[in-house]
Amino acid sequence: LRRCPEAARPPGPAALRCFPAEPPPPPAVERGTAAPGLWYEKAAPGDRRLGKVVTIAKSKKFRDNHGKVLLEGHRLIKDALEAGAVPQTLFFSTVGHLKLLPEAEIKRASLVKVKFEDIKTWSDLITPQGLLGIFSKPDPAKMSYPATQLASSLPLLLICDNIRDPGNLGTILRSAAGAGCEKVLLTKGCVDPWEPKVLRGGMGAHFRVPIIANLDWESVPTNLPAGIQVCVADNDPDAPAGTTSVLRGAGPAGSAPDSRKAPVKSSPKAAPEHEDEGAAGIPELAAQHYYEDWARAPVAVVIGGETHGLSPAALRLAASTGGKRLVIPVVPGMDSLNSAIAAGIVLFEGKRQLLWRHKQEDDRQKLPVPG
């Protein structure tokens, strides 16, 4: 027991006891206002909340367990707010950053003003803007996607198979949104779409097109519309993907064929990481060039990763729907195209074919009916 001051010593037997001093009250929170009714808090020195940012950014397990994602920069945060994503905490370096965001939406969040140097310490960008946001992990079923995006949506879906490079996946998502894809499905084995590098590469695509992640192949069909045809993209017929196509009349695999019409059958073989599944259960797919007729609504395209290629499950799904293997011919001796480039080529060709077919149907309906 510590000795109490005389004045604090209670009379009688209690004088032998001394009670610990109460802890000092926490410092008063310094607050400011960015607009009428829009209050923010000024972070005190040593505030640890900003340190959570790096944990969310670098740990998929943390993102999944806590249902949080990190967004950075005005455009991405504004797109998220307008799509209905729920902000939890916004960190900003100047009040001007808040004035660029929809006020009604940011009122729901804790607004914390911090030093730019602190944001720069935790930021994943080379040139930070001074604005970070922790959001609840968006649920595609609850998002309100832009009206212009919905108006341009086509019965064209994308399935990503073993896309493990964050930059590639971000670019692929951006292409899917640009082509007007109805939905994007990511199978297990793909990188987390909420990783910072994927978000940067997507340039807002996460809030323009529904992205369903972490699917096993058994659940993929339940996320596809009835009557869909699933095609697989091949940007290098001789690569160690799920099958190897040898075009009739062609030179070495991957080169341009002598004839523009080269329907063939592919000879499937399992990619190295799927060899234990065996090639016996992998069906043959009819192969054709990507610029030939294949896109009939609704249609889905599977893009495989550069390292592991297409999985046998992707090929079986394509075969079960009467799908085809779409070959992108390359000049002999050249390496295969980057998977993000291949996705862009095939998706925009699919868009062209779907729009052309839609126009043909419209023109037929406008023809006068014979009397």
Side-chain angles (χ1 to χ4, degrees), residues 253-268:
S255 62
D258 295 333
S259 170
R260 289 176 61 88
K261 297 291 182 181
V264 298
K265 290 288 184 180
S266 57
S267 303

Side-chain angles (χ1 to χ4, degrees), residues 15-359:
L16 298 176
R17 298 195 305 271
C18 183
F19 301 98
E22 293 184 3
V29 175
E30 189 177 355
R31 303 180 71 195
T33 179
L38 187 62
W39 292 90
Y40 63 85
E41 176 186 341
K42 294 182 181 179
D47 192 311
R48 296 182 178 180
R49 286 175 295 181
L50 195 55
K52 291 182 181 178
V53 167
V54 72
T55 306
I56 297 172
K58 293 186 176 181
S59 173
K60 179 182 184 299
K61 184 177 180 180
F62 186 91
R63 290 193 294 269
D64 291 342
N65 290 343
H66 295 269
K68 299 176 189 293
V69 297
L70 174 69
L71 305 180
E72 182 168 6
H74 292 106
R75 177 173 176 177
L76 192 58
I77 289 177
K78 185 178 180 182
D79 286 349
L81 292 170
E82 290 177 347
V86 180
Q88 295 184 359
T89 307
L90 293 180
F91 299 97
F92 61 96
S93 58
T94 65
V95 173
H97 292 308
L98 298 182
K99 295 180 179 179
L100 299 175
L101 300 174
E103 184 177 320
E105 281 73 18
I106 64 175
K107 278 184 176 180
R108 299 184 292 172
S110 298
L111 306 178
V112 184
K113 188 175 186 293
V114 297
K115 293 181 179 179
F116 179 77
E117 289 73 18
D118 292 334
I119 286 184
K120 191 173 182 180
T121 299
W122 300 112
S123 173
D124 198 47
L125 300 179
I126 297 175
T127 54
Q129 296 180 17
L131 182 64
L132 293 167
I134 297 176
F135 282 70
S136 299
K137 197 171 188 178
D139 180 354
K142 298 178 180 178
M143 290 289 97
S144 300
Y145 298 103
T148 52
Q149 187 75 30
L150 296 175
S152 303
S153 181
L154 295 168
L156 174 64
L157 287 80
L158 174 65
I159 304 172
C160 293
D161 180 19
N162 283 315
I163 304 295
R164 302 185 181 183
D165 181 86
N168 279 349
L169 181 58
T171 303
I172 288 170
L173 295 176
R174 186 177 179 182
S175 294
C181 283
E182 179 181 311
K183 187 189 299 184
V184 178
L185 307 181
L186 307 182
T187 62
K188 290 180 178 178
C190 288
V191 66
D192 182 17
W194 299 105
E195 190 170 299
K197 287 184 180 178
V198 182
L199 285 161
R200 284 205 305 273
M203 293 293 290
H206 292 70
F207 303 106
R208 301 187 72 85
V209 60
I211 301 169
I212 316 297
N214 204 36
L215 295 172
D216 52 41
W217 280 102
E218 288 73 19
S219 61
V220 167
T222 62
N223 287 276
L224 298 175
I228 195 168
Q229 183 181 62
V230 178
C231 296
V232 297
D234 182 2
N235 65 355
D236 182 1
D238 213 21
T243 71
T244 300
S245 301
V246 181
L247 292 177
R248 185 178 305 155
S255 62
D258 295 333
S259 170
R260 289 176 61 88
K261 297 291 182 181
V264 298
K265 290 288 184 180
S266 57
S267 303
K269 65 180 180 182
E273 74 165 11
H274 302 298
E275 282 180 353
D276 57 332
E277 299 181 37
I282 304 175
E284 289 191 350
L285 290 177
Q288 68 173 60
H289 290 114
Y290 78 95
Y291 48 74
E292 295 174 328
D293 184 28
W294 56 271
R296 298 177 184 277
V299 65
V301 176
V302 182
I303 299 291
E306 294 176 50
T307 303
H308 301 285
L310 294 163
S311 63
L315 299 166
R316 285 193 284 267
L317 177 61
S320 70
T321 63
K324 300 176 181 178
R325 188 180 182 101
L326 308 176
V327 177
I328 303 176
V330 296
V331 173
M334 277 298 300
D335 288 338
S336 63
L337 297 178
N338 172 282
S339 60
I341 298 294
I345 290 172
V346 175
L347 289 176
F348 277 87
E349 173 61 20
K351 174 181 182 177
R352 185 194 68 80
Q353 292 187 19
L354 288 171
L355 291 177
W356 178 83
R357 184 163 282 110
H358 181 70
K359 182 178 183 302

